[in-house]
Amino acid sequence: MRCVIGRYVGVCAALLMLCGTAQAQFQGGADWDSTSGEYRGAGAGSSGGAGPSVPAAARNATVESLTKILSASQLSPVDRSLYLSVRAFVYSRLGRENDSQKDVAEMAKVNPQGWPVVLYLMMPGLAGGGDRGAALRALGYGLQRKPNDPWLLLGQAQVQMQIADFAKALDTLDTAMAGAASPGARRNTSYYRGHANLNLGNYPQAADDFEASIAGQTTLKSRIWGALWRYAAQVRARHDARGGLAKDIGNENLYEWPGPIAKFLLGRLPAGELEVAAESDEAAKRTNGKCMAAYFIGMDAVRRGDKRRAREQLQLAQARCPTVSEYNWAASNELKRL
């Protein structure tokens, strides 16, 4: 898979030079189809659910700094569309909606095949800075140009889940599913719809969606995130969550992150060792493994009926996981039900 995540990092690096230092944090997630993969890159700690968090410098970039970067003639179409997406967001925050719409239109001109994917990847992370309205408006301008595009709808649904409007997100994702033409797009949509259903308490439907998100995937790397989230949904649906996880990935080599999470859930690794792995494993550190570990330790406690332990760990997950993260959403909603 061609690794274009370097271009995204280059965009952020330039913004960092202009606006100060910040650290991009990636959440662990599923491997999507090649369309999204071109922009995410392989093995970069891509997130299913909320995409990569955008550095604070990108969220705080000024129109002037972005315009200066965009004046460079050597920018590739992908780079230009990435910068334009950030400026469209900034314009919307400033109330300059006509300019925001123009930048979205320009994205479609310079990157005609990939611009919806760029908005899908960038807007949820930018929204995480606190201005969800600007992100939703920018995505809305995209949907005016390309109605019911599944990538734009996926970005919209993520922002809707950030503001805890899971019912609206579910409707959005149902529409996205109707327009998802490829198996990869359907897996992607199923993953997010699983989260909407999980947070609404529709546990059997969530388990089915997470199962659909890994349909046809044959490697551990491509299956493990959907399998872990299916475990969480099956715990709450009072199904045999451990048995399903063991059947799906139990014979795999689980040493690489997030394998230790699965080992813990299958009873093959103590919680303390999982916490050590979350703090020491390089892949875990890149993807905020402490956030993930706390959530799944909490869900193991839910499975065992240990409400005190569950509440303790889910509160820890809520504190550790950013608001753009599916772990934060799930922990917050689970705490309401304990």
Side-chain angles (χ1 to χ4, degrees):
M1 184 183 295
R2 187 163 58 96
C3 185
V4 187
I5 194 70
R7 296 179 179 175
Y8 168 79
V9 173
V11 170
C12 294
L15 290 167
L16 294 175
M17 292 175 65
L18 289 165
C19 308
T21 59
Q23 180 178 3
Q25 179 183 47
F26 296 92
Q27 292 297 304
D31 285 341
W32 308 126
D33 67 328
S34 58
T35 306
S36 173
E38 288 186 37
Y39 295 87
R40 290 183 179 277
S46 301
S47 172
S53 293
V54 176
R59 293 194 298 268
N60 298 328
T62 65
V63 169
E64 291 75 17
S65 64
L66 292 163
T67 300
K68 182 177 180 180
I69 295 169
L70 284 161
S71 67
S73 59
Q74 70 270 24
L75 286 176
S76 71
V78 170
D79 289 342
R80 190 170 296 279
S81 65
L82 285 165
Y83 283 112
L84 283 166
S85 73
V86 178
R87 194 171 68 176
F89 173 82
V90 174
Y91 274 141
S92 188
R93 291 191 72 180
L94 295 172
R96 295 172 61 176
E97 301 303 338
N98 288 337
D99 290 323
S100 181
Q101 291 183 63
K102 287 178 183 178
D103 274 354
V104 172
E106 185 65 17
M107 289 177 66
K109 291 179 182 178
V110 302
N111 188 6
Q113 298 302 315
W115 70 273
V117 181
V118 172
L119 283 174
Y120 147 74
L121 287 172
M122 295 296 286
M123 287 304 126
L126 289 166
D131 197 334
R132 273 76 181 209
L136 287 171
R137 288 191 294 274
L139 287 161
Y141 300 145
L143 286 164
Q144 289 174 12
R145 299 190 62 82
K146 197 172 182 182
N148 293 333
D149 178 86
W151 293 109
L152 296 172
L153 290 170
L154 288 173
Q156 192 177 63
Q158 288 180 70
V159 181
Q160 288 164 346
M161 287 192 277
Q162 288 182 26
I163 58 176
D165 196 344
F166 297 102
K168 183 175 286 188
L170 184 59
D171 288 341
T172 300
L173 291 161
D174 285 341
T175 304
M177 182 64 79
S182 69
R186 288 192 292 274
R187 286 193 296 266
N188 204 21
T189 306
S190 294
Y191 181 86
Y192 288 109
R193 194 168 66 176
H195 282 291
N197 274 316
L198 181 69
N199 287 289
L200 286 168
N202 303 330
Y203 302 119
Q205 295 93 325
D208 288 344
D209 279 333
F210 289 128
E211 176 66 27
S213 77
I214 57 178
Q217 302 286 67
T218 58
T219 66
L220 176 63
K221 181 179 178 181
S222 63
R223 293 180 64 82
I224 190 166
W225 292 109
L228 289 172
W229 281 109
R230 185 191 59 197
Y231 169 96
Q234 288 179 332
V235 163
R236 296 301 279 119
R238 300 185 183 278
H239 292 169
D240 182 12
R242 264 193 173 184
L245 186 63
K247 181 179 179 180
D248 200 42
I249 61 174
N251 293 324
E252 297 279 358
N253 182 334
L254 299 174
Y255 291 102
E256 292 186 11
W257 189 264
I261 295 175
K263 286 182 70 177
F264 163 74
L265 295 176
L266 293 171
R268 302 175 188 173
L269 189 74
E273 291 187 28
L274 174 59
E275 290 170 338
V276 169
E279 293 188 13
S280 60
D281 183 277
E282 287 303 316
K285 288 191 286 188
R286 287 196 304 271
T287 56
N288 195 355
K290 293 191 293 183
C291 152
M292 304 174 205
Y295 174 75
F296 283 107
I297 292 172
M299 291 310 296
D300 176 72
V302 171
R303 180 187 63 81
R304 293 184 289 102
D306 187 344
K307 290 188 177 182
R308 183 195 62 79
R309 173 71 162 164
R311 189 173 291 107
E312 171 188 282
Q313 289 298 311
L314 291 168
Q315 287 173 340
L316 188 59
Q318 192 180 40
R320 287 175 172 175
C321 307
T323 57
V324 296
S325 166
E326 60 267 41
Y327 301 95
N328 183 293
W329 311 335
S332 298
N333 282 286
E334 191 60 41
L335 282 165
K336 296 175 185 177
R337 299 185 177 106
L338 285 177

